[in-house]
C-alpha cells in the first residue's frame, strides 16, 4: 500500500514529500497511517483516500515488482550501473568506484 500511496500523492504533486514521510516512519505504513501522512501534507484527503482504497495503482505496483524480480531486484533501493545490480544501501564511495570502473572499461573498449 505504501507504493500505491506514493502514486496517489503523486496525483496531487506531492510524491517526494510522501516518499520522505514514509521513509522517516517505516513502521507506519498501514492505510490509516498513510492517510494521516497525506493529511499532514495537506493533500485532498477524500481524493487520496479514494485513490488508495480503490486499488487504482495495485496492478501497476504488482507489475513493477514482477519486472524488478525478473531483472534480479531483491530489495530496495536498487540501482543498475550498465547492467550491474546494486541492491540495498550501497555506500557512495562504492557507487563511485563502480561507475569509475564502467567508465574505464568504456574508454578502453572504444577506438
Amino acid at each position: 500500500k505504501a507504493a500505491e500511496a506514493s502514486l496517489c500523492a503523486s496525483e496531487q504533486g506531492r510524491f517526494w514529500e510522501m516518499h520522505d514521510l514514509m521513509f522517516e516512519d517505516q513502521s507506519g505504513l498501514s492505510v490509516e497511517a498513510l492517510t494521516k501522512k497525506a493529511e499532514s501534507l495537506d493533500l485532498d484527503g477524500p481524493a487520496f483516500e479514494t485513490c488508495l482504497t480503490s486499488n487504482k495503482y495495485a496492478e501497476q505496483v504488482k507489475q513493477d515488482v514482477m519486472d524488478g524480480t525478473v531483472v534480479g531486484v531483491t530489495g530496495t533501493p536498487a540501482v543498475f550501473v550498465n547492467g550491474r545490480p546494486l541492491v540495498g544501501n550501497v555506500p557512495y564511495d562504492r557507487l563511485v568506484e563502480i561507475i569509475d570502473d564502467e567508465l574505464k572499461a568504456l574508454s578502453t573498449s572504444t577506438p
Side-chain angles (χ1 to χ4, degrees):
K1 278 298 183 191
E4 292 177 54
S6 69
L7 296 171
C8 292
S10 182
E11 287 184 352
Q12 297 184 43
R14 305 298 292 274
F15 173 88
W16 287 111
E17 293 93 334
M18 178 61 84
H19 166 276
D20 293 346
L21 287 178
M22 290 188 296
F23 270 90
E24 287 171 11
D25 178 22
Q26 295 183 30
S27 64
L29 299 177
S30 66
V31 170
E32 180 182 343
L34 293 167
T35 301
K36 286 182 182 178
K37 286 173 178 38
E39 289 171 8
S40 77
L41 294 173
D42 293 324
L43 296 182
D44 176 337
F48 178 86
E49 193 168 345
T50 297
C51 176
L52 189 60
T53 59
S54 71
N55 299 317
K56 179 177 183 177
Y57 292 107
E59 284 304 314
Q60 180 179 337
V61 169
K62 263 189 225 175
Q63 187 62 53
D64 288 347
V65 170
M66 288 176 17
D67 292 346
T69 301
V70 167
V71 297
V73 174
T74 59
T76 60
V79 176
F80 289 81
V81 178
N82 280 353
R84 292 169 64 176
L86 306 169
V87 179
N89 188 12
V90 178
Y92 176 78
D93 292 341
R94 178 71 180 128
L95 185 57
V96 168
E97 180 183 314
I98 291 168
I99 291 170
D100 286 345
D101 286 348
E102 290 297 322
L103 289 171
K104 192 181 303 178
L106 179 64
S107 68
T108 60
S109 67
T110 54

